[in-house]
Amino acid sequence: MQSPAETPLRLLGPDGRRIPNDDFDPWVSDITAERLAELYEDMVVVRRIDSEGIALQRQGQVGLWPPLRGQEAAQIGSARALRSDDFVFTSYRENAVAYCRGVGVEEMMPMWRGTAASGWDPYEFGMAPPAVIIGAQTLHATGYAMGCAKDGADSVAVAYFGDGATSQGDVSEAMVFAAAFRAPVIFLCQNNHWAISEPVSLVARRPLADRAPGFGIPSIRVDGNDVLAMMAATRWALDRARRGDGPSYIEAVTYRMGPHTTSDDPSRYADPAEHDEWLQLDPIARVERNLELNGLHSVHEVASRTADAVAADLRRACLELPDPRPLELFDHVFTEPTSRVLRQRSQYAAYLDMLGEER
């Protein structure tokens, strides 16, 4: 197995040519050119979803949007490796993972438009609502995985987090528990090189994948802009977990090609030359080159039409979201309302009545 400090696993070069690998080729032996074209379309669609989300924020239709441009392969390659009974815990940037889990665009938008705390039923899609608290979802994933093991199920939990989260105590605590109880969980770190405006080099003197072996968790560094390598590594980790061999750690080495969120300005801290270097490693362009080498020349047009249709659905769904009534704020705090919540609801209702406002 590859040492974490070695060059990241890569199966598809930036020029689109396959790179043989005896250890990991078997994990993607079923990915034909036609199947790769489907992964390509996934990436084109989620990039279009991303650009539409940014446009909606700039037009004042949503309050905030966390762009994922550049990280499409890390999310699509890993998410498409999962089974429907696996369970995903993410931060706020994984709209591509949500898309792969079957979350509709109409269910992605309520949280960003501020009309609901979450837009989907976690149990319907096997995906928890996005966690805004940095790194907290790694604890949730570990606990869920321990429950799967106790139930005798071979389902796996996956925690997606960024390089900045590795500085949080929650992530270390989750790995301690996961290793101690051999929990079937995958820690999937998308190292996009920036924790908001701080470079990863500030907090990590060695590759982030080097940290996991210290907890007794095997790890691997992967070219996060290579959708094939990400799928192969995730399938490897899933197999370990399902066989009862416990947690794995994947460091997807990628790059955030835009701001942290739409409230951020990366031109104040990021080197444009570094951005241009990563542009040459674009995850979508390299797959397109491979497909063209295999004679599939019309994939871009087909994928673009699908992406435009999905983006139109997203915009329409966002603009049609009804404004919540003021007292709905209290409806989903707990499964059953507590006396304290009921008292606060009553006090707020009285306040609205005093102002003559709609409840």
Side-chain angles (χ1 to χ4, degrees), residues 65-266:
W65 187 261
L68 61 78
R69 187 182 180 90
Q71 299 180 223
E72 294 89 350
Q75 297 188 24
I76 295 293
S78 56
R80 285 299 187 199
L82 305 180
R83 293 191 328 212
S84 60
D85 62 330
D86 296 325
F87 208 99
V88 175
F89 299 82
T90 71
S91 67
Y92 39 77
R93 200 182 302 283
E94 282 74 29
N95 285 314
V97 178
Y99 176 76
C100 291
R101 298 300 285 172
V103 175
V105 290
E106 71 282 2
E107 293 156 315
M108 293 182 186
M109 301 311 292
M111 189 178 82
W112 302 114
R113 191 166 167 85
T115 60
S118 174
W120 64 80
D121 178 352
Y123 297 105
E124 180 180 357
F125 301 105
M127 180 171 178
V132 177
I133 300 172
I134 304 299
Q137 72 274 21
T138 58
L139 291 167
H140 308 158
T142 298
Y144 187 92
M146 292 169 63
C148 289
K150 289 184 180 298
D151 288 344
D154 68 348
S155 303
V156 178
V158 184
Y160 287 82
F161 53 98
D163 47 287
T166 61
S167 297
Q168 292 285 63
D170 284 8
V171 177
S172 295
E173 293 161 14
M175 287 199 285
V176 168
F177 260 78
F181 293 96
R182 298 175 71 83
V185 57
I186 299 173
F187 296 101
L188 205 155
C189 174
Q190 293 176 84
N191 175 4
N192 69 15
H193 285 72
W194 293 102
I196 306 183
S197 58
E198 298 292 354
V200 66
S201 58
L202 183 69
V203 296
R205 303 302 184 190
R206 293 186 55 79
L208 294 170
D210 276 1
R211 297 185 181 183
F215 292 92
I217 299 174
S219 66
I220 182 171
R221 298 191 85 209
V222 183
D223 180 344
N225 286 13
D226 178 348
V227 71
L228 277 185
M230 283 302 304
M231 176 171 281
T234 307
R235 285 176 167 178
W236 162 78
L238 287 167
D239 182 67
R240 288 194 71 256
R242 297 197 205 285
R243 287 190 286 108
D245 289 343
S248 303
Y249 186 107
I250 297 172
E251 179 189 355
V253 184
T254 181
Y255 194 80
R256 195 189 76 208
M257 298 300 289
H260 173 68
T261 68
T262 44
S263 65
D264 174 40
D265 177 9

Side-chain angles (χ1 to χ4, degrees), residues 316-334:
R316 181 169 50 255
C318 178
L319 299 182
E320 290 178 350
L321 282 170
D323 291 337
R325 299 171 70 84
L327 291 183
E328 289 180 23
L329 174 68
F330 301 93
D331 287 351
H332 303 291
V333 179
F334 297 107

Side-chain angles (χ1 to χ4, degrees), residues 237-318:
L238 287 167
D239 182 67
R240 288 194 71 256
R242 297 197 205 285
R243 287 190 286 108
D245 289 343
S248 303
Y249 186 107
I250 297 172
E251 179 189 355
V253 184
T254 181
Y255 194 80
R256 195 189 76 208
M257 298 300 289
H260 173 68
T261 68
T262 44
S263 65
D264 174 40
D265 177 9
S267 69
R268 300 180 66 180
Y269 57 82
D271 182 352
E274 185 177 84
H275 178 281
D276 291 344
E277 288 177 11
W278 279 92
L279 195 60
Q280 304 306 312
L281 303 175
D282 185 85
I284 295 178
R286 73 172 68 180
V287 176
E288 188 172 328
R289 293 179 188 121
N290 177 274
L291 294 173
E292 289 175 349
L293 289 172
N294 284 285
L296 299 179
H297 298 285
S298 60
V299 289
H300 180 71
E301 289 74 15
V302 173
S304 293
R305 283 196 295 273
T306 303
D308 286 343
V310 173
D313 288 343
L314 180 144
R315 171 171 288 272
R316 181 169 50 255
C318 178

Side-chain angles (χ1 to χ4, degrees), residues 41 56 67 177 199 219 261 270 344 351:
E41 181 174 289
L56 285 165
F177 260 78
S219 66
T261 68
Q344 291 176 341
Y351 176 71

Side-chain angles (χ1 to χ4, degrees), residues 46-68 109 112-113 259 261-262 311-312 314-315 318-319:
V46 297
R47 181 169 289 187
R48 186 70 180 85
I49 288 175
D50 201 52
S51 63
E52 196 67 24
I54 294 171
L56 285 165
Q57 194 281 327
R58 297 306 190 213
Q59 294 161 5
Q61 298 298 335
V62 298
L64 188 72
W65 187 261
L68 61 78
M109 301 311 292
W112 302 114
R113 191 166 167 85
T261 68
T262 44
L314 180 144
R315 171 171 288 272
C318 178
L319 299 182

